[in-house]
Amino acid sequence: MDPKLLEILVCPVSKTKLIYDKKKQELVSTAANLAYPVRDGIPILLEDEARQISAEEAEHFRKLKA
């Protein structure tokens, strides 16, 4: 994922920064507890396409971000 693109992308629900999970190919919003898929290098920032993440998973990403 292009770091410059990641700098400008935000969660469409919470309007907060996203964290790129390279292993799962997802953009994670810890504020909305959602993970948006990245397919063929293209972020799919649709709430209907996002997967709900647990509070524990969101906390894991918050710690990585800090």
Side-chain angles (χ1 to χ4, degrees):
M1 169 89 24
D2 183 350
K4 289 184 180 183
L5 179 61
L6 195 52
E7 284 179 27
I8 61 171
L9 290 177
V10 295
C11 172
V13 175
S14 67
K15 309 296 187 247
T16 58
K17 294 272 185 193
L18 296 163
I19 301 167
Y20 181 52
D21 181 351
K22 188 175 183 176
K23 183 178 176 185
K24 292 185 180 176
Q25 291 292 298
E26 293 178 326
L27 289 169
V28 177
S29 169
T30 57
N33 285 357
L34 293 171
Y36 299 93
V38 177
R39 297 187 188 123
D40 298 322
I42 301 168
I44 311 298
L45 297 178
L46 299 171
E47 189 175 358
D48 292 347
E49 293 285 324
R51 117 182 130 78
Q52 192 74 36
I53 62 172
S54 67
E56 294 80 18
E57 196 173 356
E59 185 59 32
H60 166 76
F61 283 104
R62 282 188 198 98
K63 289 178 181 175
L64 288 178
K65 190 171 141 181

